[in-house]
Amino acid sequence: METTLNGYLQSSVRKNWEELALTDFNGVSFQYRDIARKIAKLHLLYEQAGVKRGDKIALCGKNSSQWAVAFLSAITYGAVAVPILHEFKADNIHHLVTHSEAKLFYTDDAIWENLDPDSMNGLEGVIRLHDYSLIMSRNKRLTNAREHLNEIFGKRYPERFTPDDVVYYKEKKDELALINYTSGSMGFSKGVMLTYNNLWSNIQFTIDGLTFLNPGDGIVCMLPLAHMYGLIVELLHPLVKGCHVYFLTRMPSPRVILEAFATVRPKLIVTVPLIIEKIVKTKVFPLLDKPLMKLLMHIPVIDDRLLEKIKTQLMGAFGGNVQEIIIGGAALNKDVETFLRRINFPYTVGYGMTECAPLVAYAQWDKQRPGSCGQIVDRMEGRIDSPDPEHIPGELWVRGDNVMKGYYKNKDATDAVMKDGWMNTGDLCTMDSDGFIYIRGRNKNMILGPSGQNIYPEEIEQKLNNMPYVAESLVVDSDGQLAALIYPDLELATKQGIHTDTLSKIMDDNIAALNKDLPAYSQIRKVKLYNEEFEKTPKRSIKRYLYQHAK
């Protein structure tokens, strides 16, 4: 078996021929043999239509088995995949399809009906994700090939299609495999150029580090596949191991997710803090708040038994089979983290970014340290630009096999973050003597205090988010004063019969209590309540730039 990305995929498809590969939860399922046939047909379609190695193929749609097959068909052919988030607005999609110079575009009818074909001049064809029929074609060869695809397939494989017929493109390490557009804050996103080697290095890390997954094991894919975190850890990584990936085709609400966990009983769960926090806060914290429970928690012997019972209950909510939960995208709420550590729950917090495809730091759950996001992963190194990296935060720079080639057609943006092979992550971190990384804030979010003090809003937000009835918060600069934008926990407030006026008073009390703990220069002077969640990126972190000028 070749240790290349396509080599791993080819070997897994051949070896796990009869195993289930992909399932749309409560919908269709495909074995590895089924996806191999579909990929082979799409390869023939590309070949007949004149798609060359290195040509771009864009995809925009919700997570599904058909999306996954279309993506796999692109990279195993040697084309460059361009995943686009389906929540993007039409003008953004037009721009990304055009900017990437995509020749083919996979999407669905709901997205297509809002798009304008004339705004995407370079496109030769648009393929429906649901059944790979043509929505639009500007290429006679493509039209003809699609009409006669089964016939072409029959001629190419006259006997029958067997595992030996699965032969994927032998890529070179530094060849471009993927362009992933970040949801950047300024104008249109930057296209991160990721090579086959970037993807392979991330996959190799999951093979070496997550050894408890076996062929046939189920995994629930909750994160968007148009984002690197979901694409690598929840799709490519399980597939090279012969696992069975389930896609949540509906909105991943806690109810839908818990139903999927109960059915799939996954060993590995990859998620964002918000989902874990919601499950812990709704399933466990109310129990702990009961007077008898509080009393019992202070009796040592019962304490341990109680905690074990609570842990069993929580493990049950996650399907009862989980060996590790990896949380990424943002820091975990401190109360939740403290509680999970107390019951010895098998979770760990990782750290990554699109530009590293995405892994930067990770540690197994039993080696992880509180507040840390792990150690720099294999084939990568990191340094902190600080006179005392252990105590004074500085920007984290990284280099190694995971680091991108640069931003597509954007030399200025590339030069701004790359220097002598090192890349600036833009995150302010400290690193302990054992190499564990602690994120202290995003450099670009730093607010300058009245006398030049550095104020890191995330530190204030973390305290505020732990206060009564606060679901989410943002701290922004408002005409030289700090303002707290708060989305209250309206669900809990309604359940407990708390009215809007009382909620406002509670928030004022929260701010008064918070300010007692803060130095004068970083105290909150204004408060604004929101009645809906803040807008999020695919990683479920808040799009801060949308609120920077909120008054």
Side-chain angles (χ1 to χ4, degrees), residues 435-446:
F436 281 86
I437 306 275
Y438 300 82
I439 296 175
R440 303 301 183 192
R442 289 286 297 176
N443 204 6
K444 65 181 179 195
N445 296 339
M446 192 185 79

Side-chain angles (χ1 to χ4, degrees), residues 104-324:
L104 297 179
F105 178 38
Y106 285 91
T107 191
D108 55 42
D109 292 326
I111 293 167
W112 181 249
E113 66 187 23
N114 296 310
L115 300 180
D116 173 15
D118 295 335
S119 297
M120 299 177 285
N121 294 330
L123 266 188
E124 292 185 9
V126 180
I127 302 171
R128 195 174 271 109
L129 271 168
H130 171 62
D131 59 2
Y132 305 142
S133 59
L134 287 180
I135 296 177
M136 180 197 91
S137 175
R138 294 170 175 155
N139 174 338
K140 281 184 181 162
R141 291 169 65 189
L142 174 66
T143 310
N144 186 57
R146 185 61 192 93
E147 283 172 4
H148 303 98
L149 195 53
N150 286 337
E151 193 185 317
I152 295 164
F153 184 79
K155 277 183 185 161
R156 180 66 62 94
Y157 306 104
E159 297 298 317
R160 61 196 180 94
F161 187 72
T162 70
D164 291 340
D165 293 316
V166 175
V167 180
Y168 294 151
Y169 174 65
K170 286 192 165 83
E171 71 268 28
K172 295 180 187 72
K173 278 188 164 192
D174 63 346
E175 269 183 286
L176 192 58
L178 186 89
I179 299 174
N180 201 226
Y181 284 90
T182 64
S183 44
S185 56
M186 299 299 288
F188 287 112
S189 312
K190 296 193 287 280
V192 177
M193 294 191 286
L194 297 170
T195 65
Y196 280 96
N197 190 53
N198 295 149
L199 304 187
W200 167 82
S201 179
N202 275 269
I203 294 299
Q204 192 61 50
F205 185 81
T206 62
I207 290 170
D208 297 338
L210 304 170
T211 53
F212 51 83
L213 278 189
N214 302 311
D217 283 343
I219 191 163
V220 179
C221 178
M222 293 183 278
L223 301 174
L225 291 173
H227 186 258
M228 290 312 299
Y229 197 18
L231 188 66
I232 289 287
V233 191
E234 291 186 319
L235 178 66
L236 290 177
H237 149 243
L239 286 183
V240 301
K241 291 182 174 176
C243 298
H244 180 186
V245 182
Y246 292 78
F247 299 104
L248 295 181
T249 45
R250 289 178 291 164
M251 262 297 289
S253 67
R255 191 182 59 78
V256 170
I257 289 165
L258 292 174
E259 186 193 332
F261 288 160
T263 305
V264 179
R265 303 191 72 241
K267 288 182 183 173
L268 174 71
I269 292 170
V270 185
T271 185
V272 290
L274 212 66
I275 288 168
I276 295 290
E277 286 164 12
K278 264 191 172 158
I279 290 169
V280 172
K281 281 178 176 176
T282 54
K283 290 260 173 200
V284 179
F285 281 9
L287 285 176
L288 300 180
D289 270 346
K290 293 180 177 164
L292 179 63
M293 189 64 94
K294 280 183 174 172
L295 186 68
L296 291 173
M297 292 286 276
H298 289 95
I299 305 167
V301 184
I302 298 178
D303 182 15
D304 286 348
R305 286 218 302 271
L306 258 183
L307 289 178
E308 197 52 49
K309 200 173 176 187
I310 291 164
K311 180 181 176 180
T312 304
Q313 204 172 339
L314 194 56
M315 292 288 269
F318 289 104
N321 200 24
V322 70
Q323 300 208 12
E324 181 162 281

